[in-house]
Amino acid sequence: MKRYIDHAALGRKMAALPGVEVLVHVYSSLENGQAGARRIRAGNNPAYQPAGAFEAHAHRHQDGTAVWARYVGDLDLPPLATTMTVRVHELCAQDGVIGVRVATVEISARCQVCGGPRGEVREYRTTRDGEELVSDVWGNPCGHVDFDEAVLEEARRRQARYRPKAKPVPPELRGVEGGRYRAAVDAIAEALQTAPWTRANTAARFLEEQGQTEAADAVRAFVREYPTGGQASARAAALYLIAQDEEAKSGEVAE
Ligand SMILES: [Zn+2]
């Protein structure tokens, strides 16, 4: 049976709750789910326009592939987490006695039943045999409950599947000595300390306010050229300004 999807209503619901993921549909196949998510991102349906205003991803669902989407507009939202590190209770046997200890494990940031986002983690303190145990608890917005045993099992499966990778170190943001965008780059770097998900357009606005008109214009030009336009990050814009200054500098040396 083909179920009618009211995209107009879904789009309105998402726009009313920016950043909050909404379940769009459960597709029978991964391919159909991924195609559905792509259509939302591209804004093929008027409900999800302009293109890029909505973010959508396909996730495993117990009955197939679920597409979850959210409105991002041009807001400075942090990207969706893919994994989360949690502390859970684990049974352990010591000298023939069953005890409880806290294990720190990495799991998916998605509910394993419906693919929805898992809930925010809160610290949970309890005392056992006179010893304080500090672990994490979370309630999933979808209502599915994550029990410690299932979480530990998921973590074990992940560990067997993934080999730990060294995280690439992001390039440092620092203005080029003598560069014309030096002050602008340093200003963006400072802003990112407190607001790491600032968009390039936001950066252009505060550079303008600081009287750094030239840098603000350069950032806006960068956004216009950027593949996803307004979704360009301030970090990407700063790296662009650094590259501009470095290029100018190497040009001077060559002359
Ligand atoms: Zn769920």
Side-chain angles (χ1 to χ4, degrees):
M1 188 185 76
K2 197 145 178 87
R3 194 171 69 88
Y4 169 71
I5 310 170
D6 190 351
H7 288 292
L10 286 165
R12 277 197 303 274
K13 184 173 171 184
M14 291 174 213
L17 300 162
V20 176
E21 288 183 87
V22 172
L23 176 64
V24 175
H25 189 60
V26 180
Y27 293 86
S28 54
S29 78
L30 176 65
E31 290 72 25
N32 288 347
Q34 286 173 336
R38 263 199 307 276
R39 284 195 298 273
I40 292 174
R41 289 197 296 269
N44 289 3
N45 187 309
Y48 305 116
Q49 280 169 8
F54 291 81
E55 187 182 357
H57 300 282
H59 296 284
R60 193 172 343 125
H61 184 284
Q62 61 181 357
D63 298 325
T65 299
V67 170
W68 286 80
R70 64 174 186 164
Y71 176 77
V72 291
D74 57 0
L75 302 164
D76 299 326
L77 293 171
L80 292 169
T82 54
T83 62
M84 56 198 255
T85 302
V86 293
R87 298 165 294 182
V88 290
H89 289 172
E90 180 178 44
L91 292 178
C92 57
Q94 203 170 22
D95 306 326
V97 180
I98 300 290
V100 176
R101 67 176 168 210
V102 173
T104 301
V105 295
E106 191 186 76
I107 54 171
S108 167
R110 316 298 305 191
C111 169
Q112 299 296 286
V113 178
C114 70
R118 273 179 162 148
E120 214 162 296
V121 165
R122 277 180 298 119
E123 196 172 270
Y124 176 69
R125 285 169 187 273
T126 172
T127 310
R128 179 127 184 166
D129 301 330
E131 206 192 320
E132 189 179 53
L133 296 176
V134 183
S135 61
D136 296 312
V137 289
W138 60 96
N140 297 329
C142 57
H144 295 122
V145 179
D146 286 318
F147 294 104
D148 286 350
E149 245 337 286
V151 167
L152 289 166
E153 180 53 34
E154 181 189 334
R156 279 192 285 270
R157 279 200 312 272
R158 289 179 71 85
Q159 252 194 340
R161 214 165 39 212
Y162 301 118
R163 219 168 283 163
K165 266 182 281 177
K167 272 204 180 134
V169 180
E172 200 193 350
L173 292 183
R174 191 185 291 164
V176 176
E177 187 115 32
R180 64 176 160 160
Y181 299 130
R182 184 184 185 179
V185 170
D186 289 343
I188 295 173
E190 202 191 315
L192 290 177
Q193 302 265 328
T194 49
W197 314 116
T198 302
R199 298 262 175 120
N201 276 331
T202 309
R205 273 197 296 278
F206 72 65
L207 289 174
E208 188 83 62
E209 279 164 24
Q210 291 178 6
Q212 306 207 44
T213 315
E214 199 186 0
D217 287 343
V219 169
R220 279 190 216 102
F222 166 74
V223 171
R224 278 195 298 276
E225 296 294 316
Y226 200 75
T228 50
Q231 300 213 23
S233 65
R235 187 178 173 80
L239 290 171
Y240 166 78
L241 295 179
I242 291 172
Q244 294 293 304
D245 275 350
E246 272 169 357
E247 203 179 299
K249 209 171 162 183
S250 69
E252 275 166 30
V253 174
E255 271 164 26

